[in-house]
Amino acid sequence: MTEPLASIRAERGHGDTVTVTVSGEVDASNAEEVQRACAGHIRGAAAAVLDLGAVRYLDSAGLRILVILLQDARAAGTRLRVSVPRDGFVAELLELTGLDVHLAPPDHST
Amino acid sequence: MSLLFCAVAAGYAGGSWLSWSWFGADGVGASFFPAAGITLGTMALMDRRRWPVILAAAFTAEVLVNLSHGMATAPAFGYGVANTAQPLVGALVFARAAPLPPNIARSRDLAGFLAGGVLAGPLVGGLLGAATNTWLGSGDGFARFAWEWWVGDGLGVLVVGGGILSWRAASGHPRTTRRIAETAALTLAAAGATAASFWFGVAALGYVSLVALMAAGFRVGTRGVALAGTAVAFIAAQALASGHSAFDIVEISSGDALVYFQLALAVLVATAYAVAAEVGERERAAGERRAAERFQALADRAPAMLWVTDRDGRCTYLSRGWYEFTGQAVDEGLGSGWLGAIHPADAEGVELALTHATAHREPFRADYRLRRTDDVYRRVIDSARPVLGRDGEFAGMVGSVIDVHERIEAEDALRSSDARFRALFEAIDEGYCLCEMVLDEAGAPVDYRFLEANHHVAAMTGLHDAAGRNALEMVPGLERHWLDTYARVALGDETLRFEEGSDAMGRWFDVFATPVEPRGRFALVFKDITEQRRAELALRESELEARRARRRAEFLAEVIGEMEAVDGVTARAERLMDLLVPRVADRASLVVPGNPPTVLAHRSAPGERDPAHSELRTSMETGERPEAALALELTNPDRRPYGDRDREFFAGLTARAGVLLASARVHQEEHRVALSLQRALLPNVLEVHPDIDVAARYAAATGALEVGGDWYDVFLLPDGRIGLAVGDVVGHGLESAATMGRLRTALAALAPHAAGPGELLSHLQQFTDGPNGTGFATACYAVLDPGAGELVHASAGHPPCLVVDPGGATRWLEDGRSVPLCSLGGTDRPQAVTALEPGSLLVLFTDGLVERRGASLSAGMEWLAAVAGELSDAPVEEICDRVLAEMVGDAERADDLVIVCVRYAPVPADALRRSFPAEPGELRNIRTAARTWLEEHGVEEPHRTRLLVGLGEACSNVVRHAYPDGAPGMVDVHLDAAPDGRVRVRVTDGGSWKEPGSGAPGGYGIRVIRGLNDAVTFRTGDAGTTVGFELAVPAPLA
C-alpha cells in the first residue's frame, strides 16, 4: 500500500485549544477519512485551528469536509478557525466558493 | 413791549400837548384832555400784564410834557401820579363791571366803560390833580380844579377812549360802503355844525351837532358816535380856546362855559353811545333770533330730537321730534321740564351730568330711558356739545337724542341672561340646558346639576326630566373629563365649543358651553352627533381599508414581478422568501410535505430565534402532489399578529406564487423537451477528433412553434478525416423537419463512399424531394484532413464558409459552389480545396445568421467576417455565443439559424493522453501523471495547481457520477500545450447519465473549475461527457 495521501497532526495548546495540521492531499478518496481524523481532534476543544498550510492539493471534496467540520464545531460550541496561506491556492479556492468568509476570517490568516 | 411804550407815550404826549395848547392867555384852558382816553382805551384792550408799561409810558409822557412847559418838578410829578392813578382806577372798575377787553356796543360793557373809565377814573385823577395843584402848584381852588379835571378827562376818555374801544367792538351793523358814507356824512355834519355854532355864533346850529351825534349812535353805532363826538369835542375845545363862544346868550364866565359845555357834550356823547349800544343789541338779538329760527326749522325737520340750553343749562329749545316722541306740550319741556319725560330713576343722574357738562363747557353724553307718548320707556342716547355764541362766549349746549332701544335690547340679549338664552334656544332644534356646578366643601367641582333643559335634551341624551337632577345621578359612569371641561366654563369663565364622546352615554356630542350669571352656572347648547360621527369613522375606516388594499395590491404585484424576473422553481421560491422576510414575516418557509419533507426555501430575519407569536399557513398549488405549504411566522412581539384579512390576502398571494412556481416548473419541463428535440435532430457530440474544437448553436425563429429546417453535422470519416456539414431546408414544419432528418442521415451515410464533397452533394439531391417533389434545400459540405490541414469543400446554393486565419485575417470560401439541392440541379457539382493553418477558425452557418431586415446578405456577411475576425483567438464556444449576440442579439428573427465554429488545432505530438479507471483511488495517479507532464512542460505555480485542481474536479465528478450502475468505467484525460502558451485539458467519460445534461459537476466543483481556469466547456452526448478547459501560462512551454 502506498503512503497515505494526507497526514493529520494535532497539537494541544493552552486550555482547551488545539491546532490540527493537515498536510498532503485531500481528494474524494480520502476526504471522509481526513474529516473523521480532524473531527476527533477538534471534539471537546473550546477553540481549534485547522492549519491547511501544508496542504498540496485540495478540491471540492476537501472543501465539503471543511464546511462539515465547521458546522459540527459550531454545534458543539467549539470556535474553529481555518488557517491557510494568504496567497495560496486553498485561499483562492475558499474565495472562489465564498467559503472564505465562514472558514478563515482574514485577520487570522497567516 | 417798547413799541407799546413808545406808542402810548407818543399818543399821550400828543393829546397832552393839544390840551396845553388850548390854554388861553387868560389862563382859561380847555380842560378837555384827550390823552386820558388814550391811556384808558389802551389799557382796556390790553392784557393786564401790559398795564405797567402803559402806565409808565403815560407817567413818563406827562412828567416830560409838564416839565417842558416850565412846570416845577414837584407838581409835574404830582400830575404824573394823578394821570397814572386815574386810568388804573378806571380800568379796574371797568374790569369789574365787564370782562376785558370790552365790547362797548353791548350795554353791560358800555356801562362799565362809563362807570370806570369816564366817571370813576377821572374823579380819582381830578382829586389827585387838585391836591397837587393846591399843595404843590399855584394853589387854585381845589374843588373847581377837581371838577374841571373830572369833566375834561371824562370827556377825553369818552370820545378818545370810546373811539379806540369801538374800533374792535362788534357793532352788529354790517360794514358796508353805505354805512361808511353815512358815518362820514354824520361826522362832517356834527363837526361842521359845531364849528359854525362857535365861529359864527349860531347857537342853533349846536342842535344840528346833537342830532348828528344821536343819528350816528342810532344808525352807525359806537364807531360813528366816537368819530362824531371826537370831532365835536376837538373843534369845541379849539374854538373855546381861541375865544369863540356859542354861549353868548348865557351869562356865565368862559371858564364855566367850557366846563358846562364839555359836561353837556359828555352827556350827549354818552347818550349817543347808549343809543348805539341799544340799537346794536336789538339788531344783534334780531339776528340771533333769525339764526335760531333757521336752526329750529332745520332741527324740527330732523328725525332726531334736538335740544338747546342756555349758558346756565336751562332748556331754551326742543325740536319737534321731542314733542312728538314724548307727547309733551310745546314749551312744557323748556327750562327743566324736559326732565319730566325721563324715567324717574334716570332723571336725576341726567340732570347732574348736564349741569356738570354745562359748568365745565364739556361734551355731554347720557344713556337713559325716555317715556314715549304711549307711556313706554325707550332706551335713548343723548349727546350734546357746548356751543359758542357770536361773541365767542359759551352760549349753552346743543344736543340730540336718539332712540336706541332695539339696539340696546339686542346687545342685552347677547349678554348672559339665562332667561334670554332660554327664550332663544327653546326655539332651536338643539339641546339646551342650564346647569350649575356642584362643589364639595373645598370648592372643587364634583358634579353638576341641571337647572333647566329644553325638550331636545331628553331626545338627545336619553336623560328624561333632567331639570333638578345631578349629572352623576343620571349617568353614574359619566367620564370625569366632562366635569373638568364644564368646570373650566362655569368657574374659569371660558366659552368652549367642542366635540366629545361619552362611552357612559354611548353618544357623541357637539357642545357649545358658555358661562352664565351667577358664577358657577353654565349653559349648554348641544347636538347629538353620534350618527354623524359613526359615519365619519366608517368613512375613515373604509379609506384606511382602501389604502391597505392598495398596499396589498402593490405588494402582490411586486411579488409577481420579482418572481417572474427569475427562472426556475428554486430561484423563484428563494425570491419569494426574500420578499416575505422581513417585510411581512420574521420567518417564512415553503415546504412540500412528505417523509422527509422537502424544503423548497426557507428564510429567517437576521438574528431571529424567538418563538413565533403568530403563524399563518397556506397551501400552494405548484402542480405537485402533495401541495407545497407556505408558512409565515411573526416573532417580534411589536408586530401585529396576522388577522383574518391577512390570511385572506396571503391565501391569494400564495395562489399566485404557486402559479408562478408551477409555471417555472412547466418552463423547465418545456426547456428540457426543447433540448431533447434539438438533440434528437442535431448532433449531440461534436467531440469527434482531438485536432478540432467544435461549437455549434441552433436558434429557432422568434415565436416559431415548429421545428425549423436548418441543420448541421460533424462526424468522423473512416479514413480519419472529419466531415463538416451545414444545410437549410426551405420551409418549416414537419415536412421540412423530415427532409432535414433525411438529408442529415443520407449525408452521413453517403459521406464515406463519396469521392469528394461535390459528388456527395450531387447524390444528396434526390433526398430533397418531398412527397410533392417540391423540396428545395441548400447545403455546404467540407472534409478536413487534420493531418494535412487540407479542407475540401463544396456548396449547393449555400452561403460560403468563412475562414479566420490565426492572425485574424478572414476569407470566404467562394469556390466549389453550385445550385441548391432541388430537382433542377445537375449531377456534376464542383468542389474546391483550401489549406488551413493550425489555429485557423472555420465558420459554417445558414443564412438566418446574416439575414437582417433592411440589410443585404453581403452586408450581413461582412459584418460576420468583422465580428469573427475580432474573436479569432477565443474559444469556439465563446465565438458562437458572441457572434450570435453581435449578429442577432435580442432582435426578432424571421428565420432559424445555425452557426458552427471549428477550430483547427492539431494536437501536438507530446500531448498527454491517458485513460484511468473511474475510481477514487485513481485520482492521485491521474494527478501524479498530470503533475509530471506539467513540470516537464515548465508550467509553474500557481498555474500548475490550478490546472491540477481543475483536472481533479473533473475526474472526481466522473468517478462519483458517471457510472452509477457499478459497472467500472474509464476516464480519459487529455492535456496538451498549444503553441500560443495555452495548456488545454479535456476529461472524457463514456458514462451513461441518468439525467441528460447532468454530466457537468455541481456545487463547489463547477465553481472551482470555472474559477481557476478559462474556456470551460461541458458536452454531454450519448457516448458520455467531455469537460474541457484551458489556462494560459506565462512561461514558455518546453
Side-chain angles (χ1 to χ4, degrees):
Chain A
M1 193 61 198
T2 51
E3 61 180 287
L5 202 51
S7 67
I8 289 96
R9 197 176 73 246
E11 220 175 287
R12 295 264 157 204
H14 300 291
D16 287 338
T17 63
V18 62
T19 301
V20 181
T21 306
V22 182
S23 52
E25 305 184 19
V26 182
D27 63 14
S29 67
N30 67 343
E32 276 188 41
E33 191 185 324
V34 171
Q35 180 201 333
R36 273 197 302 275
C38 291
H41 292 303
I42 293 168
R43 188 173 300 123
V49 175
L50 188 60
D51 185 353
L52 302 182
V55 169
R56 187 162 70 137
Y57 175 88
L58 184 136
D59 60 17
S60 59
L63 293 175
R64 206 165 278 118
I65 68 163
L66 292 182
V67 174
I68 293 168
L69 284 172
L70 190 80
Q71 284 173 341
D72 289 351
R74 272 192 191 153
T78 302
R79 270 184 297 110
L80 176 63
R81 185 163 63 76
V82 177
S83 171
V84 297
R86 186 188 299 276
D87 50 357
F89 83 100
V90 181
E92 196 175 3
L93 285 182
L94 294 179
E95 193 183 335
L96 279 173
T97 51
L99 291 171
D100 52 339
V101 183
H102 303 285
L103 295 179
D107 56 336
H108 288 114
S109 302
T110 50
Chain B
M1 198 64 86
S2 53
L3 186 66
L4 178 66
F5 182 91
C6 293
V8 171
Y12 188 92
S16 182
W17 194 268
L18 274 174
S19 192
W20 274 101
S21 69
W22 289 325
F23 284 101
D26 57 353
V28 175
S31 62
F32 172 57
F33 192 66
I38 289 174
T39 321
L40 184 96
T42 312
M43 285 176 74
L45 288 180
M46 292 290 166
D47 190 80
R48 287 186 187 216
R49 282 174 292 147
R50 305 252 170 115
W51 286 5
V53 177
I54 297 167
L55 293 172
F59 178 81
T60 307
E62 174 68 27
V63 170
L64 288 175
V65 169
N66 288 346
L67 291 174
S68 69
H69 283 88
M71 191 182 287
T73 309
F77 275 90
Y79 292 129
V81 169
N83 277 300
T84 307
Q86 173 182 309
L88 181 60
V89 170
L92 287 172
V93 172
F94 192 177
R96 282 196 69 80
L100 298 181
N103 177 7
I104 58 166
R106 291 175 66 116
S107 302
R108 183 193 59 180
D109 295 18
L110 179 62
F113 171 61
L114 293 175
V118 177
L119 296 176
L123 176 59
V124 171
L127 293 173
L128 285 172
T132 301
N133 183 50
T134 306
W135 292 305
L136 302 175
S138 54
D140 223 359
F142 179 90
R144 182 172 179 82
F145 191 93
W147 170 246
E148 284 183 6
W149 179 299
W150 190 16
V151 172
D153 278 33
L155 184 63
V157 170
L158 192 63
V159 294
V160 176
I164 289 172
L165 294 178
S166 66
W167 282 116
R168 73 161 295 276
S171 67
H173 296 281
R175 191 184 299 179
T176 61
T177 313
R178 197 169 64 83
R179 288 273 179 203
I180 292 168
E182 203 170 353
T183 305
L186 288 170
T187 305
L188 280 174
T194 304
S197 68
F198 280 98
W199 268 276
F200 306 111
V202 186
L205 282 174
Y207 296 105
V208 174
S209 305
L210 188 146
V211 170
L213 266 175
M214 288 302 155
F218 195 78
R219 296 288 303 168
V220 195
T222 52
R223 233 171 271 163
V225 173
L227 267 175
T230 303
V232 170
F234 274 84
I235 292 167
Q238 187 62 40
L240 289 167
S242 52
H244 299 290
S245 174
F247 303 104
D248 292 346
I249 50 171
V250 185
E251 279 302 319
I252 51 171
S253 70
S254 64
D256 289 338
L258 179 65
V259 172
Y260 286 122
F261 173 76
Q262 288 179 344
L263 185 61
L265 184 60
V267 170
L268 190 61
V269 171
T271 308
Y273 270 128
V275 168
E278 181 61 25
V279 169
E281 291 268 4
R282 289 191 182 185
E283 289 192 356
R284 199 156 46 236
E288 282 173 1
R289 203 162 49 246
R290 281 194 298 276
E293 280 165 3
R294 279 199 300 277
F295 165 74
Q296 282 182 26
L298 221 61
D300 284 343
R301 282 200 300 273
M305 297 169 263
L306 303 179
W307 52 263
V308 178
T309 59
D310 62 14
R311 69 190 72 195
D312 298 319
R314 286 185 300 270
C315 180
T316 56
Y317 168 75
L318 287 163
S319 73
R320 184 178 307 175
W322 174 275
Y323 298 114
E324 287 174 354
F325 185 90
T326 61
Q328 283 189 328
V330 175
D331 294 345
E332 188 187 342
L334 298 184
S336 57
W338 58 282
L339 289 165
I342 295 176
H343 192 284
D346 299 339
E348 194 181 343
V350 174
E351 190 178 11
L352 270 174
L354 181 60
T355 305
H356 181 270
T358 303
H360 293 85
R361 278 90 164 118
E362 284 174 353
F364 158 84
R365 185 180 165 89
D367 164 10
Y368 55 84
R369 284 162 286 178
L370 183 63
R371 189 182 61 234
R372 204 164 56 184
T373 178
D374 55 2
D375 284 336
V376 172
Y377 282 101
R378 303 279 291 178
R379 304 290 291 269
V380 299
I381 286 180
D382 193 342
S383 59
R385 58 181 179 80
V387 291
L388 302 179
R390 297 176 60 86
D391 53 0
E393 290 280 313
F394 171 68
M397 310 281 284
V398 172
S400 62
V401 180
I402 305 167
D403 181 353
V404 291
H405 197 81
E406 272 76 18
R407 202 175 83 198
I408 289 181
E409 290 291 291
E411 285 173 5
D412 280 354
L414 289 176
R415 297 202 181 98
S416 53
S417 156
D418 56 351
R420 288 186 193 284
F421 263 118
R422 192 163 57 245
L424 207 57
F425 290 116
E426 197 65 49
I428 62 175
D429 58 352
E430 297 191 20
Y432 165 74
C433 54
L434 179 66
C435 304
E436 187 176 51
M437 289 309 301
V438 177
L439 309 176
D440 62 11
E441 293 86 346
V446 292
D447 198 350
Y448 58 91
R449 181 181 302 120
F450 289 87
L451 299 179
E452 290 178 38
N454 73 355
H455 65 277
H456 293 294
V457 169
M460 287 183 177
T461 62
L463 306 178
H464 295 277
D465 302 322
R469 298 170 68 187
N470 284 9
L472 289 173
E473 172 193 342
M474 291 186 287
V475 187
L478 185 68
E479 292 83 355
R480 174 75 203 182
H481 63 80
W482 291 97
L483 211 52
D484 295 338
T485 303
Y486 291 147
R488 279 169 59 196
V489 175
L491 307 174
D493 212 28
E494 286 185 62
T495 292
L496 298 175
R497 171 78 185 258
F498 58 92
E499 286 186 11
E500 186 60 80
S502 168
D503 289 337
M505 300 176 75
R507 291 170 197 249
W508 275 84
F509 298 104
D510 175 0
V511 183
F512 174 77
T514 184
V516 298
E517 295 294 325
R519 186 176 147 82
R521 288 192 180 184
F522 56 98
L524 302 177
V525 181
F526 62 91
K527 212 185 320 189
D528 178 3
I529 54 163
T530 311
E531 285 309 313
Q532 179 190 342
R533 190 75 183 192
R534 277 194 193 126
E536 281 173 12
L537 285 175
L539 183 68
R540 208 168 304 158
E541 183 58 35
S542 81
E543 277 172 0
L544 218 61
E545 183 52 39
R547 258 206 303 282
R548 234 177 267 145
R550 199 165 56 240
R551 272 209 311 275
R552 287 186 170 132
E554 284 166 4
F555 182 62
L556 185 60
E558 190 185 348
V559 167
I560 292 168
E562 288 283 317
M563 285 181 72
E564 275 179 343
V566 294
D567 288 324
V569 176
T570 311
R572 286 189 173 179
E574 291 287 340
R575 187 60 67 91
L576 177 62
M577 295 296 114
D578 289 341
L579 290 163
L580 295 175
V581 178
R583 278 167 68 179
V584 297
D586 295 320
R587 273 200 293 267
S589 63
L590 189 58
V591 177
V592 180
N595 192 16
T598 309
V599 178
L600 289 178
H602 175 264
R603 191 76 81 251
S604 287
E608 194 49 67
R609 289 213 180 82
D610 297 336
H613 68 80
S614 180
E615 292 183 355
L616 191 155
R617 288 176 194 285
T618 59
S619 58
M620 178 184 280
E621 179 81 36
T622 56
E624 285 191 348
R625 289 287 177 263
E627 292 178 344
L630 175 68
L632 301 178
E633 294 180 340
L634 290 175
T635 58
N636 183 345
D638 295 338
R639 299 183 74 156
R640 207 171 53 146
Y642 297 116
D644 289 343
R645 282 207 185 81
D646 297 317
R647 290 175 203 288
E648 208 172 288
F649 168 70
F650 282 112
L653 183 140
T654 310
R656 303 294 296 272
V659 170
L660 289 170
L661 290 177
S663 79
R665 191 174 301 283
V666 168
H667 191 256
Q668 282 177 347
E669 204 65 34
E670 279 173 352
H671 186 63
R672 214 166 57 197
V673 170
L675 276 177
S676 303
L677 182 65
Q678 187 183 4
R679 214 171 55 166
L681 294 174
L682 297 173
N684 289 317
V685 181
L686 297 172
E687 199 69 28
V688 295
H689 196 281
D691 286 349
I692 59 167
D693 291 336
V694 184
R697 296 288 183 274
Y698 168 83
T702 308
L705 298 173
E706 296 169 327
V707 183
D710 288 10
W711 59 276
Y712 63 92
D713 207 353
V714 181
F715 47 86
L716 191 61
L717 292 167
D719 58 3
R721 293 186 301 165
I722 302 158
L724 306 163
V726 62
D728 181 1
V729 176
V730 176
H732 297 287
L734 277 177
E735 191 183 328
S736 299
T739 305
M740 182 189 93
R742 273 203 306 277
L743 281 174
R744 241 196 84 206
T745 311
L747 185 134
L750 293 173
H753 311 292
E759 189 188 318
L760 180 62
L761 290 178
S762 300
H763 291 317
L764 209 55
Q765 184 174 312
Q766 58 185 297
F767 297 98
T768 65
D769 296 339
N772 304 323
T774 56
F776 187 92
T778 65
C780 175
Y781 177 59
V783 176
L784 173 66
D785 180 348
E790 185 187 79
L791 184 76
V792 185
H793 56 93
S795 168
H798 203 82
C801 300
L802 177 70
V803 174
V804 183
D805 294 329
T810 57
R811 57 195 165 101
W812 294 100
L813 302 182
E814 304 274 6
D815 300 330
R817 305 182 69 184
S818 56
V819 296
L821 304 175
C822 62
S823 51
L824 299 173
T827 53
D828 189 18
R829 291 179 182 265
Q831 63 184 37
V833 181
T834 186
L836 290 184
E837 284 181 54
S840 292
L841 178 72
L842 181 66
V843 181
L844 299 90
F845 57 94
T846 59
D847 55 6
L849 182 70
V850 291
E851 267 174 353
R852 263 174 305 169
R853 197 162 296 175
S856 66
L857 201 66
S858 60
M861 287 168 65
E862 277 174 35
W863 182 236
L864 171 64
V867 173
E870 284 283 313
L871 295 168
S872 66
D873 291 347
V876 287
E877 292 286 345
E878 188 184 334
I879 293 173
C880 280
D881 290 335
R882 302 222 0 222
V883 167
L884 269 184
E886 288 279 344
M887 299 293 293
V888 182
D890 295 330
E892 297 273 309
R893 288 189 301 277
D895 200 359
D896 53 348
L897 66 88
V898 158
I899 176 171
V900 180
C901 292
V902 180
R903 171 85 67 195
Y904 171 54
V907 175
D910 61 350
L912 172 70
R913 289 173 200 232
R914 292 275 297 273
S915 288
F916 298 90
E919 290 169 4
E922 286 296 320
L923 291 172
R924 66 187 300 182
N925 298 329
I926 295 172
R927 286 202 300 278
T928 303
R931 187 177 286 124
T932 306
W933 188 89
L934 288 169
E935 281 167 1
E936 284 170 5
H937 287 78
V939 177
E940 302 286 344
E941 292 296 354
H943 303 91
R944 195 165 64 211
T945 302
R946 285 179 181 170
L947 286 161
L948 281 176
V949 173
L951 175 67
E953 289 292 349
C955 293
S956 190
N957 190 52
V958 171
V959 168
R960 278 204 302 270
H961 301 297
Y963 303 104
D965 299 332
M970 297 297 283
V971 54
D972 299 334
V973 173
H974 175 114
L975 272 81
D976 67 45
D980 57 3
R982 282 177 301 147
V983 174
R984 296 183 296 191
V985 178
R986 258 199 299 269
V987 174
T988 308
D989 66 64
S992 62
W993 300 81
K994 275 183 183 171
E995 291 267 318
S998 62
Y1004 296 134
I1006 182 66
R1007 277 199 249 174
V1008 167
I1009 298 175
R1010 283 195 198 281
L1012 295 179
N1013 300 282
D1014 302 323
V1016 181
T1017 57
F1018 302 97
R1019 278 194 212 96
T1020 301
D1022 294 334
T1025 297
T1026 298
V1027 177
F1029 59 87
E1030 57 188 51
L1031 188 64
V1033 297
L1037 294 163

